[in-house]
Amino acid sequence: MSKEKKNHIKYHTLKYGFILLISIITGTTSLMAQTISYSEYTGEVLDSNSKKALVFATLTVDNTNVTTITNSEGQFSLKVPTEYINNNLTISFLGYKTKQISISELENEKNKIFMEEFVMALSEASIDAPNDAEVLVRETLDKKGSNYLNENTVMTAFYRETIKKRRTNVSLSEAVVNIYKTPYSSNKTDALELYKARKSTDYSKLDTVALKLQGGPFNTLFVDMVKYPNYIFTPETLGYYDFSFDTSTRVNDQLIYVIDFKQKPEIIDPLYNGKLYIDAENKILTSAIYSLNITDRKLASQMFVRRKPKNAEVWPTEVSYRVDYREKDGKWYYGYSNVLLEFKINWDKRLFNSVYSMSCEMAITDWEKNIENTIPRSKDRMKASIILSDEAIGFADPDFWGEYNIIEPEKSIESAIKKIQRQLRREKPNNGTSAR
């Protein structure tokens, strides 16, 4: 195996280190008070014709950096500081016409926002794109210094990670983090600071195996492939892929080239396949959706599983990623990403496999320029090896997040939180602490 490919695999081991543990790590997270006055609005973003939910649609308060996204059911929750309630709200979604409405027209709940699909003319859909898709990708990555935020910023982000056993939620973690983001032209790694966190896990459903996600918010942050191209595309590894043009589309009324990529047949080591969405006029990556080739079960297991029981074989069955970028005043920046890992555990002397999925997502909800380039003290920075500690009490507090924007939870997650809390109350009748 070449040195470059070994480094490529090493990067992924650092980024997405999902851990299988027997022991349980417990701890607490300090909480801070909140005082900002705000109004909260909830609702759904739907296709105007089919009424289907639009997943990961972006909602932004005009003339601010306040933003949120819809969940997997098209639902959103948006908390708007009182000083901005007379602003407009812009809603955008890939392949749909951008929509703008007045915040003052919204009710506090049950709002339905309908989006019209952008119907492209045949000539526009099959537009005469550049001849070489790979050259376009290289040019796009090379222009990050001019097309993306090239100044220090402090971003507020909401992070959520879940663990499921088949279809049942067994662990839920949420956090608000501050991201001290360096310019896109800089090679410096962004610093993360944990502000708030809560977690609840029903260990009785984990077959005595505790599943911990190492890296926490870093797993989603490093999916920002424009800032961190070495985790997927380097000048050398770009040559390991075949690139081709797919049918064009639009986002925010701008023509978008859709580029398919997959590893070349002669490349044996696991790489990626997926789609890149590139602004045709300015050569800007606006979104990427891709997955890892995990045909080699043994190698894939080595990349993601750090420790496991001796009597079990563990391997991933799906590893997929998504990253979306947003634009403000002609500059683009990381806005949202998610990671999904599904895997099986084959136990010795057991008839059935255990099937688990681990997913995490993070969305930027606000940001400002970091003019003085302040960064958190070393002891306050999150480490890339972080595992969010257990903290159950927050899920019982409806005001836990205060004015901070979060991704609206799915119905299944809300139900799981209640079930896990009931289980914890049964296991801790004396309000004691237990670890399994």
mmCIF file of all heavy atoms in Angstrom, residues 399-426:
data_model
loop_
_atom_site.group_PDB
_atom_site.id
_atom_site.type_symbol
_atom_site.label_atom_id
_atom_site.label_comp_id
_atom_site.label_asym_id
_atom_site.label_seq_id
_atom_site.Cartn_x
_atom_site.Cartn_y
_atom_site.Cartn_z
ATOM 1 N N ASP A 399 -36.512 24.443 29.092
ATOM 2 C CA ASP A 399 -35.811 25.705 28.858
ATOM 3 C C ASP A 399 -34.291 25.532 28.840
ATOM 4 O O ASP A 399 -33.547 26.505 28.980
ATOM 5 C CB ASP A 399 -36.197 26.726 29.935
ATOM 6 C CG ASP A 399 -37.681 27.036 29.922
ATOM 7 O OD1 ASP A 399 -38.235 27.155 28.811
ATOM 8 O OD2 ASP A 399 -38.273 27.141 31.007
ATOM 9 N N PHE A 400 -33.836 24.297 28.668
ATOM 10 C CA PHE A 400 -32.408 23.995 28.761
ATOM 11 C C PHE A 400 -31.587 24.846 27.798
ATOM 12 O O PHE A 400 -30.539 25.362 28.144
ATOM 13 C CB PHE A 400 -32.188 22.509 28.466
ATOM 14 C CG PHE A 400 -30.766 22.052 28.634
ATOM 15 C CD1 PHE A 400 -30.287 21.682 29.881
ATOM 16 C CD2 PHE A 400 -29.912 21.962 27.556
ATOM 17 C CE1 PHE A 400 -28.984 21.255 30.058
ATOM 18 C CE2 PHE A 400 -28.597 21.532 27.710
ATOM 19 C CZ PHE A 400 -28.136 21.175 28.969
ATOM 20 N N TRP A 401 -32.054 25.000 26.554
ATOM 21 C CA TRP A 401 -31.255 25.695 25.553
ATOM 22 C C TRP A 401 -31.500 27.200 25.516
ATOM 23 O O TRP A 401 -30.784 27.928 24.834
ATOM 24 C CB TRP A 401 -31.528 25.123 24.156
ATOM 25 C CG TRP A 401 -31.134 23.687 24.023
ATOM 26 C CD1 TRP A 401 -31.950 22.647 23.687
ATOM 27 C CD2 TRP A 401 -29.832 23.127 24.197
ATOM 28 N NE1 TRP A 401 -31.229 21.471 23.662
ATOM 29 C CE2 TRP A 401 -29.939 21.727 23.964
ATOM 30 C CE3 TRP A 401 -28.591 23.652 24.538
ATOM 31 C CZ2 TRP A 401 -28.842 20.874 24.065
ATOM 32 C CZ3 TRP A 401 -27.507 22.800 24.647
ATOM 33 C CH2 TRP A 401 -27.641 21.433 24.406
ATOM 34 N N GLY A 402 -32.562 27.677 26.208
ATOM 35 C CA GLY A 402 -32.806 29.117 26.186
ATOM 36 C C GLY A 402 -32.983 29.634 24.766
ATOM 37 O O GLY A 402 -33.757 29.094 23.977
ATOM 38 N N GLU A 403 -32.228 30.685 24.417
ATOM 39 C CA GLU A 403 -32.406 31.311 23.097
ATOM 40 C C GLU A 403 -31.623 30.619 21.997
ATOM 41 O O GLU A 403 -31.696 31.021 20.836
ATOM 42 C CB GLU A 403 -31.967 32.783 23.167
ATOM 43 C CG GLU A 403 -30.467 33.033 23.072
ATOM 44 C CD GLU A 403 -29.757 32.904 24.398
ATOM 45 O OE1 GLU A 403 -30.396 32.442 25.380
ATOM 46 O OE2 GLU A 403 -28.570 33.255 24.469
ATOM 47 N N TYR A 404 -30.884 29.544 22.312
ATOM 48 C CA TYR A 404 -30.053 28.910 21.289
ATOM 49 C C TYR A 404 -30.884 28.093 20.316
ATOM 50 O O TYR A 404 -31.787 27.341 20.705
ATOM 51 C CB TYR A 404 -28.987 28.022 21.943
ATOM 52 C CG TYR A 404 -27.886 28.845 22.549
ATOM 53 C CD1 TYR A 404 -27.943 29.228 23.886
ATOM 54 C CD2 TYR A 404 -26.823 29.294 21.776
ATOM 55 C CE1 TYR A 404 -26.953 30.016 24.438
ATOM 56 C CE2 TYR A 404 -25.825 30.084 22.323
ATOM 57 C CZ TYR A 404 -25.898 30.441 23.646
ATOM 58 O OH TYR A 404 -24.927 31.235 24.184
ATOM 59 N N ASN A 405 -30.581 28.242 19.024
ATOM 60 C CA ASN A 405 -31.290 27.488 18.002
ATOM 61 C C ASN A 405 -30.777 26.054 17.967
ATOM 62 O O ASN A 405 -29.581 25.800 18.066
ATOM 63 C CB ASN A 405 -31.103 28.142 16.628
ATOM 64 C CG ASN A 405 -32.118 29.234 16.392
ATOM 65 O OD1 ASN A 405 -33.317 28.982 16.356
ATOM 66 N ND2 ASN A 405 -31.647 30.471 16.251
ATOM 67 N N ILE A 406 -31.712 25.137 17.817
ATOM 68 C CA ILE A 406 -31.375 23.730 17.714
ATOM 69 C C ILE A 406 -32.076 23.148 16.497
ATOM 70 O O ILE A 406 -32.964 23.760 15.915
ATOM 71 C CB ILE A 406 -31.788 22.940 18.973
ATOM 72 C CG1 ILE A 406 -33.321 22.885 19.089
ATOM 73 C CG2 ILE A 406 -31.181 23.550 20.225
ATOM 74 C CD1 ILE A 406 -33.816 21.945 20.170
ATOM 75 N N ILE A 407 -31.655 21.960 16.096
ATOM 76 C CA ILE A 407 -32.354 21.238 15.040
ATOM 77 C C ILE A 407 -33.576 20.588 15.674
ATOM 78 O O ILE A 407 -33.459 19.853 16.655
ATOM 79 C CB ILE A 407 -31.455 20.174 14.402
ATOM 80 C CG1 ILE A 407 -30.166 20.806 13.870
ATOM 81 C CG2 ILE A 407 -32.188 19.446 13.281
ATOM 82 C CD1 ILE A 407 -29.123 19.803 13.436
ATOM 83 N N GLU A 408 -34.741 20.859 15.156
ATOM 84 C CA GLU A 408 -35.972 20.301 15.712
ATOM 85 C C GLU A 408 -35.861 18.784 15.808
ATOM 86 O O GLU A 408 -35.539 18.108 14.830
ATOM 87 C CB GLU A 408 -37.166 20.677 14.830
ATOM 88 C CG GLU A 408 -38.510 20.170 15.330
ATOM 89 C CD GLU A 408 -39.031 20.913 16.549
ATOM 90 O OE1 GLU A 408 -38.357 21.851 17.021
ATOM 91 O OE2 GLU A 408 -40.114 20.536 17.046
ATOM 92 N N PRO A 409 -36.097 18.190 16.983
ATOM 93 C CA PRO A 409 -35.990 16.735 17.114
ATOM 94 C C PRO A 409 -37.101 16.011 16.374
ATOM 95 O O PRO A 409 -38.204 16.529 16.223
ATOM 96 C CB PRO A 409 -36.088 16.506 18.628
ATOM 97 C CG PRO A 409 -36.848 17.678 19.129
ATOM 98 C CD PRO A 409 -36.448 18.834 18.257
ATOM 99 N N GLU A 410 -36.782 14.818 15.890
ATOM 100 C CA GLU A 410 -37.791 13.997 15.241
ATOM 101 C C GLU A 410 -38.732 13.433 16.305
ATOM 102 O O GLU A 410 -38.400 13.350 17.474
ATOM 103 C CB GLU A 410 -37.124 12.850 14.484
ATOM 104 C CG GLU A 410 -36.115 13.304 13.459
ATOM 105 C CD GLU A 410 -35.242 12.153 12.980
ATOM 106 O OE1 GLU A 410 -35.486 11.017 13.404
ATOM 107 O OE2 GLU A 410 -34.318 12.409 12.199
ATOM 108 N N LYS A 411 -39.908 13.019 15.870
ATOM 109 C CA LYS A 411 -40.874 12.438 16.801
ATOM 110 C C LYS A 411 -40.297 11.214 17.484
ATOM 111 O O LYS A 411 -40.511 10.985 18.672
ATOM 112 C CB LYS A 411 -42.175 12.093 16.075
ATOM 113 C CG LYS A 411 -42.952 13.311 15.587
ATOM 114 C CD LYS A 411 -44.264 12.880 14.942
ATOM 115 C CE LYS A 411 -45.086 14.105 14.514
ATOM 116 N NZ LYS A 411 -44.434 14.872 13.446
ATOM 117 N N SER A 412 -39.546 10.410 16.737
ATOM 118 C CA SER A 412 -38.972 9.196 17.309
ATOM 119 C C SER A 412 -37.950 9.532 18.389
ATOM 120 O O SER A 412 -37.813 8.816 19.379
ATOM 121 C CB SER A 412 -38.313 8.348 16.209
ATOM 122 O OG SER A 412 -37.270 9.069 15.572
ATOM 123 N N ILE A 413 -37.217 10.639 18.218
ATOM 124 C CA ILE A 413 -36.240 11.038 19.217
ATOM 125 C C ILE A 413 -36.937 11.548 20.473
ATOM 126 O O ILE A 413 -36.545 11.220 21.592
ATOM 127 C CB ILE A 413 -35.293 12.109 18.645
ATOM 128 C CG1 ILE A 413 -34.360 11.482 17.605
ATOM 129 C CG2 ILE A 413 -34.484 12.773 19.747
ATOM 130 C CD1 ILE A 413 -33.384 12.448 16.985
ATOM 131 N N GLU A 414 -37.990 12.339 20.285
ATOM 132 C CA GLU A 414 -38.737 12.823 21.447
ATOM 133 C C GLU A 414 -39.283 11.659 22.258
ATOM 134 O O GLU A 414 -39.231 11.647 23.487
ATOM 135 C CB GLU A 414 -39.883 13.726 20.981
ATOM 136 C CG GLU A 414 -39.438 15.056 20.397
ATOM 137 C CD GLU A 414 -40.604 15.896 19.918
ATOM 138 O OE1 GLU A 414 -41.572 15.314 19.394
ATOM 139 O OE2 GLU A 414 -40.545 17.118 20.070
ATOM 140 N N SER A 415 -39.804 10.651 21.561
ATOM 141 C CA SER A 415 -40.344 9.465 22.228
ATOM 142 C C SER A 415 -39.239 8.707 22.940
ATOM 143 O O SER A 415 -39.420 8.231 24.072
ATOM 144 C CB SER A 415 -41.031 8.560 21.200
ATOM 145 O OG SER A 415 -41.458 7.356 21.792
ATOM 146 N N ALA A 416 -38.076 8.593 22.291
ATOM 147 C CA ALA A 416 -36.956 7.861 22.890
ATOM 148 C C ALA A 416 -36.463 8.546 24.156
ATOM 149 O O ALA A 416 -36.109 7.885 25.134
ATOM 150 C CB ALA A 416 -35.824 7.731 21.882
ATOM 151 N N ILE A 417 -36.422 9.887 24.144
ATOM 152 C CA ILE A 417 -35.984 10.627 25.332
ATOM 153 C C ILE A 417 -36.875 10.276 26.523
ATOM 154 O O ILE A 417 -36.397 9.998 27.619
ATOM 155 C CB ILE A 417 -36.011 12.141 25.068
ATOM 156 C CG1 ILE A 417 -34.911 12.529 24.068
ATOM 157 C CG2 ILE A 417 -35.827 12.919 26.374
ATOM 158 C CD1 ILE A 417 -34.989 13.962 23.607
ATOM 159 N N LYS A 418 -38.187 10.261 26.296
ATOM 160 C CA LYS A 418 -39.120 9.953 27.382
ATOM 161 C C LYS A 418 -38.934 8.527 27.884
ATOM 162 O O LYS A 418 -38.952 8.268 29.089
ATOM 163 C CB LYS A 418 -40.556 10.165 26.899
ATOM 164 C CG LYS A 418 -40.876 11.620 26.582
ATOM 165 C CD LYS A 418 -42.289 11.762 26.023
ATOM 166 C CE LYS A 418 -42.583 13.219 25.672
ATOM 167 N NZ LYS A 418 -43.929 13.374 25.057
ATOM 168 N N LYS A 419 -38.735 7.584 26.947
ATOM 169 C CA LYS A 419 -38.563 6.189 27.349
ATOM 170 C C LYS A 419 -37.274 6.003 28.139
ATOM 171 O O LYS A 419 -37.238 5.295 29.144
ATOM 172 C CB LYS A 419 -38.549 5.287 26.114
ATOM 173 C CG LYS A 419 -39.900 5.142 25.434
ATOM 174 C CD LYS A 419 -39.812 4.232 24.218
ATOM 175 C CE LYS A 419 -41.173 4.093 23.541
ATOM 176 N NZ LYS A 419 -41.090 3.233 22.328
ATOM 177 N N ILE A 420 -36.197 6.641 27.675
ATOM 178 C CA ILE A 420 -34.919 6.514 28.368
ATOM 179 C C ILE A 420 -35.011 7.113 29.766
ATOM 180 O O ILE A 420 -34.497 6.548 30.734
ATOM 181 C CB ILE A 420 -33.791 7.173 27.552
ATOM 182 C CG1 ILE A 420 -33.512 6.353 26.280
ATOM 183 C CG2 ILE A 420 -32.517 7.293 28.380
ATOM 184 C CD1 ILE A 420 -32.515 7.003 25.340
ATOM 185 N N GLN A 421 -35.697 8.256 29.890
ATOM 186 C CA GLN A 421 -35.829 8.885 31.199
ATOM 187 C C GLN A 421 -36.623 8.007 32.159
ATOM 188 O O GLN A 421 -36.295 7.894 33.349
ATOM 189 C CB GLN A 421 -36.491 10.258 31.057
ATOM 190 C CG GLN A 421 -35.629 11.283 30.340
ATOM 191 C CD GLN A 421 -34.242 11.377 30.932
ATOM 192 O OE1 GLN A 421 -34.080 11.583 32.121
ATOM 193 N NE2 GLN A 421 -33.231 11.197 30.102
ATOM 194 N N ARG A 422 -37.676 7.356 31.653
ATOM 195 C CA ARG A 422 -38.453 6.446 32.502
ATOM 196 C C ARG A 422 -37.589 5.286 32.977
ATOM 197 O O ARG A 422 -37.656 4.867 34.133
ATOM 198 C CB ARG A 422 -39.683 5.939 31.748
ATOM 199 C CG ARG A 422 -40.782 6.985 31.580
ATOM 200 C CD ARG A 422 -42.105 6.343 31.222
ATOM 201 N NE ARG A 422 -42.051 5.660 29.943
ATOM 202 C CZ ARG A 422 -42.374 6.227 28.783
ATOM 203 N NH1 ARG A 422 -42.772 7.500 28.752
ATOM 204 N NH2 ARG A 422 -42.315 5.544 27.661
ATOM 205 N N GLN A 423 -36.761 4.762 32.053
ATOM 206 C CA GLN A 423 -35.883 3.654 32.398
ATOM 207 C C GLN A 423 -34.869 4.077 33.468
ATOM 208 O O GLN A 423 -34.591 3.350 34.420
ATOM 209 C CB GLN A 423 -35.140 3.163 31.151
ATOM 210 C CG GLN A 423 -34.158 2.028 31.393
ATOM 211 C CD GLN A 423 -34.845 0.724 31.740
ATOM 212 O OE1 GLN A 423 -36.046 0.577 31.536
ATOM 213 N NE2 GLN A 423 -34.080 -0.217 32.285
ATOM 214 N N LEU A 424 -34.320 5.281 33.308
ATOM 215 C CA LEU A 424 -33.343 5.771 34.283
ATOM 216 C C LEU A 424 -33.981 5.964 35.657
ATOM 217 O O LEU A 424 -33.368 5.676 36.686
ATOM 218 C CB LEU A 424 -32.734 7.086 33.800
ATOM 219 C CG LEU A 424 -31.766 6.981 32.615
ATOM 220 C CD1 LEU A 424 -31.387 8.370 32.134
ATOM 221 C CD2 LEU A 424 -30.525 6.200 33.006
ATOM 222 N N ARG A 425 -35.217 6.449 35.679
ATOM 223 C CA ARG A 425 -35.888 6.644 36.965
ATOM 224 C C ARG A 425 -36.123 5.313 37.668
ATOM 225 O O ARG A 425 -36.024 5.209 38.890
ATOM 226 C CB ARG A 425 -37.205 7.398 36.767
ATOM 227 C CG ARG A 425 -37.031 8.894 36.493
ATOM 228 C CD ARG A 425 -38.338 9.635 36.654
ATOM 229 N NE ARG A 425 -39.309 9.257 35.651
ATOM 230 C CZ ARG A 425 -39.439 9.869 34.471
ATOM 231 N NH1 ARG A 425 -38.633 10.885 34.171
ATOM 232 N NH2 ARG A 425 -40.352 9.478 33.611
ATOM 233 N N ARG A 426 -36.432 4.280 36.888
ATOM 234 C CA ARG A 426 -36.645 2.958 37.479
ATOM 235 C C ARG A 426 -35.349 2.391 38.038
ATOM 236 O O ARG A 426 -35.335 1.729 39.080
ATOM 237 C CB ARG A 426 -37.228 1.995 36.446
ATOM 238 C CG ARG A 426 -38.702 2.247 36.123
ATOM 239 C CD ARG A 426 -39.308 1.062 35.414
ATOM 240 N NE ARG A 426 -38.721 0.864 34.095
ATOM 241 C CZ ARG A 426 -39.223 1.395 32.969
ATOM 242 N NH1 ARG A 426 -40.305 2.159 33.032
ATOM 243 N NH2 ARG A 426 -38.648 1.173 31.815
#
